[in-house]
Amino acid sequence: MLPASAPALTPPPAPLPSVLRRFDCAGPRYTSYPTADRFVDAFTADDYAQALEQRGGAGASARALSLYVHIPFCESLCYYCACNKIVTRHKSKGREYLDYLAREISLQVAKLGRGAVVRQLHLGGGTPTFLDDAGLRDLMAMLRGAFTLSPDGEHSIEIDPRTVDRERLVTLAELGFNRLSFGVQDFDPEVQKAVHRIQPARQVFDLMAVARGLGFDSVNVDLIYGLPRQSAASFDRTLEQVCALRPDRIALYAYAHLPERFKAQRRIATEALPDAAAKVDMLSRSIAALTAAGYVYIGMDHFALPGDALAVARRQGRLHRNFQGYSTQPDCDLVALGVSAIGRIGATYSQNAKTLEEYYDLLDQGRLPVVRGLALTRDDVLRRAVIMAIMCQGRVDFEAVGAAHLIDFEHFFATELAALEPLAAQGLVTLGDRYIEVTPMGWFFVRAIAMVFDRYLQADRNRTRFSRIV
């Protein structure tokens, strides 16, 4: 029997294109609240160190952590990419970077304490598999020397299929990784040429077979719709291949073309991009194809097979969300390592220096490389609880939130409840006497529902810095 906080997962019909167009607006992805654009330079490394020390002390090592390590290097440039990356073929840069990561780990552990249990480890980038086998072994040895990696935890790594083979996957399994994320984006050769990422489908299928044979718990595939030279018909073919590949999870992202912010995207010809109507058509058809193939819609742009841990957590109301997206792990602090990495300790968020030069310089000075962040207010913590309940459980219980935060929910959020009424009229949310519940159709637009409770967003209405919901 499902807990009260987890509405039954009735497979929803794919939204009509007309409904998708109605909600084709920009908005946060809510991997945090407040969102990272609200971080301030006034939050310093000293503030972060204080947060680490407050978490430390008796019993701190037993309280589980999430751990994120950012590896910024890529061997080639993908034109669509908006990540913090450094394009180079010089492997020596990876060795130098590991030396600085070791310094950062030492500084973190000096404040946090050694041996904290890590239930979730994620290596992202860039391309973590830019590091050679020796580099990956050294990194994992450093992490195991500073933290206690739980044997039943989630240990995941992002993979560029062009940088691995069977032997590398064997090494990753030996190092304790149990979850892989393959960057695919699109199997169409013309689209791959347009974004400068040539990777034959057969290569991915072969790697998937190896990963299955090695017993990895879960394999994820990333897809992007809205890329240059894509059409609904061409993306249908990619989806057909992905469904045949049968990954455990699929992340389906909309391409956000922001060449004024991301230099690499200036190499994409605007006239080669599908228009808004074509993107909506692709999304609608993608949702229909994936759900027809047996995938469960998790929320936002994530799908999973019914037996995958993410789908099980969704059914049982145990879904959580952090800077890496949806997670099955309980809500906990996140220690982030590496250039530009974003972490969360207690009621604070922090971000490391975004350039390699500044990151190295701060560590050369013996300082934590945190350059900005945020100390959450009581209102931030309250709204974070509501937004995450919407994003993860699809339900907000007024009495539970009120008791936890010492408020009268209906009085405090009267304006927001009134703003939800048009969404309720459109069938996206149910407004009960003492609860809010996202409908099966509303899950496709869960960001729009959560945005109603974002005090910062409602105050300035400046959403151009966010990706579009559709």
Side-chain angles (χ1 to χ4, degrees):
M1 184 174 180
L2 296 178
S5 60
L9 294 186
T10 303
L16 294 172
S18 59
V19 180
L20 290 169
R21 279 193 293 272
R22 191 181 309 150
F23 290 92
D24 186 17
C25 62
R29 300 182 60 79
Y30 293 119
T31 51
S32 71
Y33 179 84
T35 49
D37 61 301
R38 302 296 173 181
F39 294 0
V40 295
D41 296 343
F43 184 96
T44 67
D46 290 338
D47 296 314
Y48 177 66
Q50 183 179 22
L52 286 177
E53 289 173 343
Q54 288 174 348
R55 188 189 195 277
S61 63
R63 298 202 302 273
L65 282 172
S66 285
L67 187 61
Y68 173 72
V69 185
H70 189 77
I71 309 297
F73 305 106
C74 295
E75 291 187 14
S76 64
L77 179 65
C78 300
Y79 296 163
Y80 57 80
C81 185
C83 298
N84 185 299
K85 76 277 184 185
I86 297 163
V87 179
T88 179
R89 291 184 177 274
H90 297 290
K91 295 294 184 177
S92 59
K93 290 186 179 293
R95 170 50 56 191
E96 181 184 23
Y97 187 71
L98 288 175
D99 291 341
Y100 278 94
L101 273 178
R103 299 189 198 184
E104 185 186 0
I105 290 170
S106 295
L107 291 172
Q108 296 256 15
V109 169
K111 300 293 183 182
L112 181 65
R114 190 171 297 276
V117 175
V118 172
R119 295 274 311 162
Q120 183 184 45
L121 167 67
H122 185 78
L123 268 59
T127 306
T129 47
F130 175 91
L131 299 177
D132 59 21
D133 287 356
L136 285 169
R137 289 193 181 95
D138 288 346
L139 173 58
M140 293 303 291
M142 285 191 287
L143 296 178
R144 287 195 166 93
F147 304 94
T148 301
L149 302 189
S150 175
D152 61 347
E154 292 185 2
H155 304 150
S156 61
I157 183 169
E158 296 173 9
I159 289 177
D160 179 343
R162 300 170 298 174
T163 66
V164 299
D165 53 19
R166 177 185 177 83
E167 287 68 32
R168 295 224 74 194
L169 292 185
V170 169
T171 298
L172 293 177
E174 291 173 347
L175 288 174
F177 290 101
N178 52 27
R179 296 177 182 274
L180 307 177
S181 180
F182 288 139
V184 170
Q185 323 318 343
D186 195 311
F187 279 130
D188 187 274
E190 291 303 310
V191 175
Q192 291 183 356
K193 289 178 186 176
V195 299
H196 198 237
R197 188 185 176 100
I198 306 298
Q199 121 189 339
R202 176 46 52 193
Q203 185 178 41
V204 179
F205 274 78
D206 289 346
L207 289 172
M208 177 66 83
V210 173
R212 296 289 191 218
L214 292 172
F216 284 94
D217 291 343
S218 183
V219 181
N220 175 83
V221 163
D222 290 343
L223 300 175
I224 300 177
Y225 67 94
L227 292 174
R229 299 187 188 173
Q230 270 182 347
S231 66
S234 74
F235 203 58
D236 282 348
R237 291 192 292 272
T238 286
L239 289 168
E240 185 177 351
Q241 290 172 288
V242 169
C243 289
L245 188 65
R246 206 67 178 169
D248 300 278
R249 301 176 186 177
I250 297 170
L252 177 67
Y253 300 114
Y255 171 62
H257 190 56
L258 300 169
E260 66 281 1
R261 289 180 56 191
F262 304 111
K263 187 176 180 180
Q265 294 184 359
R266 297 171 196 169
R267 303 193 183 197
I268 290 177
T270 303
E271 60 272 16
L273 294 171
D275 61 23
K279 284 185 67 177
V280 166
D281 192 25
M282 283 184 220
L283 176 58
S284 181
R285 292 161 71 141
S286 297
I287 293 169
L290 294 176
T291 53
Y295 284 90
V296 175
Y297 184 70
I298 301 299
M300 284 183 52
D301 30 37
H302 284 70
F303 299 79
L305 292 175
D308 184 82
L310 204 62
V312 173
R314 169 81 161 77
R315 286 196 298 272
Q316 297 178 346
R318 296 185 293 102
L319 205 60
H320 295 280
R321 192 160 176 78
N322 58 28
F323 287 107
Q324 280 71 64
Y326 282 112
S327 169
T328 62
Q329 297 302 307
D331 194 31
C332 62
D333 289 337
L334 168 67
V335 169
L337 303 168
V339 62
S340 78
I342 300 177
R344 166 192 164 184
I345 300 293
T348 70
Y349 295 127
S350 59
Q351 183 170 26
N352 283 348
K354 292 185 177 181
T355 68
L356 211 55
E357 293 75 16
E358 186 178 10
Y359 176 74
Y360 286 171
D361 181 59
L362 289 169
L363 289 168
D364 282 337
Q365 297 174 45
R367 298 168 56 192
L368 286 164
V370 170
V371 295
R372 68 180 195 136
L374 191 68
L376 275 64
T377 66
R378 182 171 176 265
D379 183 78
D380 292 337
V381 174
L382 165 61
R383 290 175 183 273
R384 177 173 70 181
V386 174
I387 287 172
M388 292 306 165
I390 291 170
M391 297 291 295
C392 297
Q393 281 74 51
R395 182 183 174 100
V396 180
D397 183 276
F398 298 172
E399 185 175 352
V401 174
H405 297 272
L406 303 177
I407 63 163
D408 180 313
F409 190 98
E410 289 169 290
H411 176 73
F412 191 94
F413 288 116
T415 301
E416 287 81 359
L417 291 172
L420 285 176
E421 289 179 1
L423 300 184
Q426 295 172 73
L428 304 187
V429 64
T430 299
L431 298 178
D433 290 339
R434 301 293 294 166
Y435 67 90
I436 301 165
E437 187 168 290
V438 178
T439 67
M441 182 61 70
W443 272 106
F444 294 110
F445 310 98
V446 69
R447 289 163 71 181
I449 298 167
M451 284 161 61
V452 170
F453 292 88
D454 187 331
R455 181 173 62 85
Y456 299 95
L457 196 65
Q458 303 308 324
D460 68 15
R461 300 288 180 176
N462 179 17
R463 302 178 183 177
T464 57
R465 59 191 176 278
F466 298 117
S467 63
R468 301 190 76 79
I469 290 177
V470 174

Short mmCIF file of all heavy atoms in Angstrom, two decimals, residues 110-151:
data_model
loop_
_atom_site.label_atom_id
_atom_site.label_comp_id
_atom_site.label_asym_id
_atom_site.label_seq_id
_atom_site.Cartn_x
_atom_site.Cartn_y
_atom_site.Cartn_z
N ALA A 110 39.72 18.43 6.93
CA ALA A 110 40.21 19.11 8.14
C ALA A 110 39.08 19.78 8.90
O ALA A 110 39.13 19.90 10.13
CB ALA A 110 41.27 20.13 7.75
N LYS A 111 38.06 20.23 8.20
CA LYS A 111 36.91 20.88 8.84
C LYS A 111 35.78 19.89 9.12
O LYS A 111 35.11 19.97 10.15
CB LYS A 111 36.37 22.00 7.93
CG LYS A 111 37.38 23.09 7.61
CD LYS A 111 37.75 23.89 8.85
CE LYS A 111 38.70 25.02 8.51
NZ LYS A 111 39.11 25.78 9.72
N LEU A 112 35.58 18.96 8.21
CA LEU A 112 34.44 18.05 8.29
C LEU A 112 34.71 16.85 9.19
O LEU A 112 33.81 16.33 9.85
CB LEU A 112 34.10 17.56 6.87
CG LEU A 112 32.92 16.62 6.70
CD1 LEU A 112 31.62 17.31 7.07
CD2 LEU A 112 32.85 16.12 5.26
N GLY A 113 35.96 16.43 9.22
CA GLY A 113 36.30 15.19 9.92
C GLY A 113 36.45 14.06 8.92
O GLY A 113 35.78 14.03 7.89
N ARG A 114 37.35 13.14 9.22
CA ARG A 114 37.62 12.03 8.30
C ARG A 114 36.63 10.89 8.50
O ARG A 114 36.17 10.63 9.61
CB ARG A 114 39.05 11.53 8.53
CG ARG A 114 39.56 10.54 7.48
CD ARG A 114 41.03 10.28 7.66
NE ARG A 114 41.81 11.49 7.46
CZ ARG A 114 42.21 11.95 6.28
NH1 ARG A 114 41.89 11.30 5.18
NH2 ARG A 114 42.92 13.06 6.20
N GLY A 115 36.29 10.23 7.41
CA GLY A 115 35.51 9.01 7.50
C GLY A 115 34.02 9.15 7.39
O GLY A 115 33.28 8.19 7.66
N ALA A 116 33.51 10.33 7.01
CA ALA A 116 32.06 10.49 6.86
C ALA A 116 31.53 9.49 5.84
O ALA A 116 32.14 9.26 4.80
CB ALA A 116 31.73 11.92 6.44
N VAL A 117 30.38 8.91 6.14
CA VAL A 117 29.79 7.90 5.26
C VAL A 117 29.19 8.56 4.03
O VAL A 117 28.41 9.52 4.14
CB VAL A 117 28.70 7.10 6.01
CG1 VAL A 117 27.99 6.13 5.05
CG2 VAL A 117 29.31 6.34 7.17
N VAL A 118 29.53 8.05 2.88
CA VAL A 118 29.00 8.56 1.60
C VAL A 118 28.05 7.52 1.03
O VAL A 118 28.45 6.41 0.71
CB VAL A 118 30.14 8.86 0.61
CG1 VAL A 118 29.57 9.20 -0.77
CG2 VAL A 118 31.01 9.99 1.13
N ARG A 119 26.78 7.91 0.90
CA ARG A 119 25.77 7.01 0.35
C ARG A 119 25.59 7.19 -1.15
O ARG A 119 25.06 6.32 -1.83
CB ARG A 119 24.42 7.27 1.04
CG ARG A 119 24.39 6.95 2.51
CD ARG A 119 24.08 5.52 2.79
NE ARG A 119 22.91 5.04 2.07
CZ ARG A 119 22.63 3.74 1.88
NH1 ARG A 119 23.46 2.83 2.32
NH2 ARG A 119 21.54 3.38 1.24
N GLN A 120 26.02 8.35 -1.66
CA GLN A 120 25.85 8.64 -3.08
C GLN A 120 27.09 9.36 -3.60
O GLN A 120 27.44 10.43 -3.09
CB GLN A 120 24.61 9.49 -3.31
CG GLN A 120 24.33 9.79 -4.79
CD GLN A 120 23.14 10.72 -4.96
OE1 GLN A 120 23.02 11.72 -4.26
NE2 GLN A 120 22.26 10.39 -5.89
N LEU A 121 27.76 8.76 -4.56
CA LEU A 121 28.94 9.36 -5.20
C LEU A 121 28.63 9.54 -6.68
O LEU A 121 28.13 8.62 -7.33
CB LEU A 121 30.15 8.46 -5.02
CG LEU A 121 31.38 8.79 -5.89
CD1 LEU A 121 31.99 10.13 -5.48
CD2 LEU A 121 32.43 7.68 -5.80
N HIS A 122 28.94 10.74 -7.19
CA HIS A 122 28.71 10.99 -8.61
C HIS A 122 29.90 11.73 -9.19
O HIS A 122 30.33 12.76 -8.65
CB HIS A 122 27.45 11.81 -8.83
CG HIS A 122 27.10 12.00 -10.28
ND1 HIS A 122 26.50 11.03 -11.04
CD2 HIS A 122 27.29 13.06 -11.11
CE1 HIS A 122 26.33 11.47 -12.28
NE2 HIS A 122 26.80 12.70 -12.35
N LEU A 123 30.47 11.19 -10.27
CA LEU A 123 31.52 11.86 -11.01
C LEU A 123 30.91 12.46 -12.27
O LEU A 123 30.35 11.74 -13.11
CB LEU A 123 32.64 10.88 -11.39
CG LEU A 123 33.82 10.75 -10.42
CD1 LEU A 123 33.34 10.31 -9.05
CD2 LEU A 123 34.87 9.80 -10.97
N GLY A 124 31.01 13.79 -12.41
CA GLY A 124 30.43 14.47 -13.56
C GLY A 124 31.44 15.37 -14.23
O GLY A 124 32.59 15.48 -13.81
N GLY A 125 31.00 16.05 -15.27
CA GLY A 125 31.93 16.89 -16.00
C GLY A 125 31.24 17.83 -16.96
O GLY A 125 30.07 18.13 -16.78
N GLY A 126 31.99 18.24 -17.99
CA GLY A 126 33.16 17.61 -18.58
C GLY A 126 32.94 16.13 -18.86
O GLY A 126 31.85 15.63 -19.01
N THR A 127 34.07 15.43 -18.89
CA THR A 127 34.08 14.01 -19.16
C THR A 127 34.94 13.32 -18.11
O THR A 127 36.17 13.32 -18.23
CB THR A 127 34.64 13.72 -20.57
OG1 THR A 127 33.91 14.47 -21.54
CG2 THR A 127 34.54 12.24 -20.91
N PRO A 128 34.34 12.71 -17.08
CA PRO A 128 35.15 12.03 -16.07
C PRO A 128 36.06 10.95 -16.65
O PRO A 128 37.16 10.72 -16.14
CB PRO A 128 34.09 11.41 -15.15
CG PRO A 128 32.91 12.31 -15.29
CD PRO A 128 32.91 12.73 -16.73
N THR A 129 35.62 10.29 -17.75
CA THR A 129 36.46 9.26 -18.34
C THR A 129 37.58 9.85 -19.20
O THR A 129 38.29 9.10 -19.88
CB THR A 129 35.60 8.28 -19.17
OG1 THR A 129 34.69 9.02 -20.01
CG2 THR A 129 34.80 7.37 -18.25
N PHE A 130 37.77 11.17 -19.14
CA PHE A 130 38.99 11.78 -19.66
C PHE A 130 40.19 11.26 -18.89
O PHE A 130 41.29 11.09 -19.45
CB PHE A 130 38.90 13.30 -19.55
CG PHE A 130 40.16 14.03 -19.94
CD1 PHE A 130 40.36 14.44 -21.26
CD2 PHE A 130 41.15 14.32 -19.01
CE1 PHE A 130 41.52 15.12 -21.64
CE2 PHE A 130 42.31 14.99 -19.38
CZ PHE A 130 42.50 15.39 -20.70
N LEU A 131 40.00 11.03 -17.58
CA LEU A 131 41.07 10.47 -16.76
C LEU A 131 41.37 9.04 -17.21
O LEU A 131 40.45 8.26 -17.50
CB LEU A 131 40.65 10.46 -15.29
CG LEU A 131 40.36 11.82 -14.64
CD1 LEU A 131 39.89 11.62 -13.20
CD2 LEU A 131 41.59 12.72 -14.67
N ASP A 132 42.65 8.68 -17.26
CA ASP A 132 43.00 7.31 -17.62
C ASP A 132 42.75 6.39 -16.41
O ASP A 132 42.35 6.84 -15.33
CB ASP A 132 44.44 7.22 -18.12
CG ASP A 132 45.46 7.71 -17.10
OD1 ASP A 132 45.15 7.75 -15.88
OD2 ASP A 132 46.58 8.05 -17.51
N ASP A 133 42.97 5.10 -16.61
CA ASP A 133 42.68 4.14 -15.54
C ASP A 133 43.46 4.45 -14.28
O ASP A 133 42.93 4.37 -13.16
CB ASP A 133 43.00 2.72 -16.02
CG ASP A 133 41.98 2.20 -17.02
OD1 ASP A 133 40.99 2.91 -17.28
OD2 ASP A 133 42.17 1.08 -17.54
N ALA A 134 44.73 4.81 -14.44
CA ALA A 134 45.55 5.13 -13.27
C ALA A 134 45.00 6.35 -12.54
O ALA A 134 44.96 6.39 -11.31
CB ALA A 134 47.00 5.37 -13.70
N GLY A 135 44.56 7.34 -13.31
CA GLY A 135 43.99 8.53 -12.70
C GLY A 135 42.70 8.23 -11.94
O GLY A 135 42.49 8.74 -10.83
N LEU A 136 41.85 7.41 -12.53
CA LEU A 136 40.60 7.04 -11.85
C LEU A 136 40.89 6.25 -10.58
O LEU A 136 40.24 6.44 -9.54
CB LEU A 136 39.72 6.24 -12.79
CG LEU A 136 39.02 7.04 -13.90
CD1 LEU A 136 38.39 6.11 -14.92
CD2 LEU A 136 37.96 7.98 -13.32
N ARG A 137 41.88 5.35 -10.64
CA ARG A 137 42.25 4.59 -9.44
C ARG A 137 42.76 5.52 -8.35
O ARG A 137 42.42 5.38 -7.17
CB ARG A 137 43.30 3.53 -9.79
CG ARG A 137 42.78 2.38 -10.61
CD ARG A 137 43.78 1.23 -10.65
NE ARG A 137 43.28 0.13 -11.46
CZ ARG A 137 43.56 -0.07 -12.74
NH1 ARG A 137 44.37 0.78 -13.37
NH2 ARG A 137 43.05 -1.09 -13.40
N ASP A 138 43.61 6.48 -8.73
CA ASP A 138 44.14 7.42 -7.74
C ASP A 138 43.03 8.26 -7.12
O ASP A 138 43.02 8.51 -5.92
CB ASP A 138 45.18 8.33 -8.39
CG ASP A 138 46.49 7.61 -8.71
OD1 ASP A 138 46.67 6.49 -8.20
OD2 ASP A 138 47.30 8.17 -9.47
N LEU A 139 42.09 8.70 -7.95
CA LEU A 139 40.98 9.50 -7.44
C LEU A 139 40.16 8.70 -6.44
O LEU A 139 39.83 9.19 -5.35
CB LEU A 139 40.10 9.98 -8.59
CG LEU A 139 38.80 10.70 -8.20
CD1 LEU A 139 39.08 11.92 -7.34
CD2 LEU A 139 38.00 11.09 -9.44
N MET A 140 39.81 7.48 -6.78
CA MET A 140 39.01 6.67 -5.88
C MET A 140 39.77 6.34 -4.59
O MET A 140 39.18 6.28 -3.51
CB MET A 140 38.56 5.39 -6.58
CG MET A 140 37.58 5.62 -7.73
SD MET A 140 36.09 6.52 -7.23
CE MET A 140 35.30 5.29 -6.20
N ALA A 141 41.08 6.16 -4.70
CA ALA A 141 41.88 5.92 -3.48
C ALA A 141 41.86 7.14 -2.59
O ALA A 141 41.75 7.03 -1.35
CB ALA A 141 43.31 5.56 -3.88
N MET A 142 41.94 8.34 -3.19
CA MET A 142 41.86 9.58 -2.40
C MET A 142 40.53 9.68 -1.68
O MET A 142 40.46 10.04 -0.50
CB MET A 142 42.06 10.80 -3.31
CG MET A 142 43.48 11.04 -3.76
SD MET A 142 43.66 12.68 -4.54
CE MET A 142 42.84 12.41 -6.10
N LEU A 143 39.46 9.40 -2.41
CA LEU A 143 38.13 9.51 -1.82
C LEU A 143 37.94 8.49 -0.69
O LEU A 143 37.38 8.81 0.36
CB LEU A 143 37.06 9.32 -2.90
CG LEU A 143 37.03 10.39 -4.01
CD1 LEU A 143 35.96 10.05 -5.04
CD2 LEU A 143 36.80 11.78 -3.43
N ARG A 144 38.41 7.28 -0.92
CA ARG A 144 38.27 6.25 0.12
C ARG A 144 39.14 6.54 1.33
O ARG A 144 38.82 6.11 2.45
CB ARG A 144 38.60 4.87 -0.46
CG ARG A 144 37.52 4.34 -1.40
CD ARG A 144 37.68 2.85 -1.67
NE ARG A 144 36.46 2.31 -2.28
CZ ARG A 144 36.25 2.21 -3.58
NH1 ARG A 144 37.19 2.62 -4.43
NH2 ARG A 144 35.11 1.71 -4.05
N GLY A 145 40.23 7.27 1.13
CA GLY A 145 41.07 7.64 2.26
C GLY A 145 40.47 8.74 3.11
O GLY A 145 40.82 8.88 4.29
N ALA A 146 39.57 9.51 2.52
CA ALA A 146 38.98 10.64 3.24
C ALA A 146 37.56 10.36 3.72
O ALA A 146 37.12 10.92 4.73
CB ALA A 146 38.97 11.87 2.33
N PHE A 147 36.84 9.52 2.98
CA PHE A 147 35.44 9.22 3.29
C PHE A 147 35.24 7.72 3.40
O PHE A 147 36.10 6.93 2.98
CB PHE A 147 34.52 9.79 2.20
CG PHE A 147 34.69 11.26 1.94
CD1 PHE A 147 35.53 11.72 0.94
CD2 PHE A 147 34.01 12.19 2.71
CE1 PHE A 147 35.69 13.07 0.70
CE2 PHE A 147 34.15 13.55 2.49
CZ PHE A 147 35.00 13.99 1.48
N THR A 148 34.11 7.32 3.92
CA THR A 148 33.73 5.90 3.94
C THR A 148 32.64 5.70 2.90
O THR A 148 31.50 6.13 3.08
CB THR A 148 33.20 5.49 5.33
OG1 THR A 148 34.22 5.73 6.31
CG2 THR A 148 32.82 4.03 5.34
N LEU A 149 32.99 5.08 1.78
CA LEU A 149 32.02 4.84 0.72
C LEU A 149 31.18 3.63 1.08
O LEU A 149 31.69 2.51 1.19
CB LEU A 149 32.72 4.63 -0.63
CG LEU A 149 33.63 5.76 -1.13
CD1 LEU A 149 34.07 5.47 -2.56
CD2 LEU A 149 32.94 7.10 -1.05
N SER A 150 29.90 3.86 1.28
CA SER A 150 29.01 2.79 1.69
C SER A 150 28.97 1.69 0.63
O SER A 150 28.79 1.97 -0.56
CB SER A 150 27.60 3.35 1.91
OG SER A 150 26.69 2.31 2.19
N PRO A 151 29.15 0.43 1.02
CA PRO A 151 29.16 -0.66 0.03
C PRO A 151 27.82 -0.83 -0.69
O PRO A 151 27.78 -1.37 -1.79
CB PRO A 151 29.51 -1.90 0.87
CG PRO A 151 29.18 -1.53 2.28
CD PRO A 151 29.40 -0.06 2.39
#
